[in-house]
Amino acid sequence: VPSIFTTIALLWCSLAQQGCMSSEHGAQRVLHKARKACHEDRDKFFKCLEGEGVESWHKGDPVPGKCRTVRKAYEKSCPKAWVTHFDQTQSYNKAISRFLEQGKS
């Protein structure tokens, strides 16, 4: 019986037209590549926001023009729940950083 991760990887592989692999090891490679692409696109988006001088960004806020393409790639390469989680974590981490900086003053 294949694991849930193998099943997900094979489904992703099929939907992304990457060519499905029948082995669990092959499916894990597909998952690793997908996770890596997601994390890279996430990091590019948040770096773009910083480059545009955006201090705090929350889902629903306007995305700066230069970051729209990067945001779309991020949303495409990551599962929706991950995007929500990463967005919330980024907002939380920024708020904590601002709070700690205020405490130093």
Side-chain angles (χ1 to χ4, degrees):
V1 176
S3 73
I4 187 68
F5 296 110
T6 302
T7 304
I8 291 169
L10 293 174
L11 177 60
W12 178 87
C13 177
S14 173
L15 293 174
Q17 299 175 348
Q18 296 292 320
C20 293
M21 300 169 197
S22 58
S23 72
E24 179 130 355
H25 180 67
Q28 288 175 350
R29 279 197 318 260
V30 169
L31 277 175
H32 175 74
K33 286 181 181 180
R35 254 190 333 270
K36 185 176 178 184
C38 170
H39 291 165
E40 287 173 355
D41 287 340
R42 173 204 61 194
D43 294 345
K44 287 177 189 174
F45 174 66
F46 290 118
K47 187 173 183 170
C48 183
L49 289 178
E50 284 182 22
E52 292 297 302
V54 176
E55 288 290 321
S56 179
W57 187 88
H58 303 280
K59 183 128 178 113
D61 288 352
V63 177
K66 292 182 180 179
C67 300
R68 286 186 187 134
T69 304
V70 181
R71 176 69 186 191
K72 286 180 184 177
Y74 166 43
E75 289 177 342
K76 185 176 180 182
S77 66
C78 297
K80 187 176 181 178
W82 290 19
V83 171
T84 300
H85 170 75
F86 292 146
D87 288 349
Q88 289 172 346
T89 301
Q90 180 73 5
S91 294
Y92 175 79
N93 289 342
K94 289 282 188 180
I96 293 296
S97 293
R98 283 193 303 276
F99 176 76
L100 293 174
E101 286 299 317
Q102 288 175 352
K104 289 181 181 178
S105 306

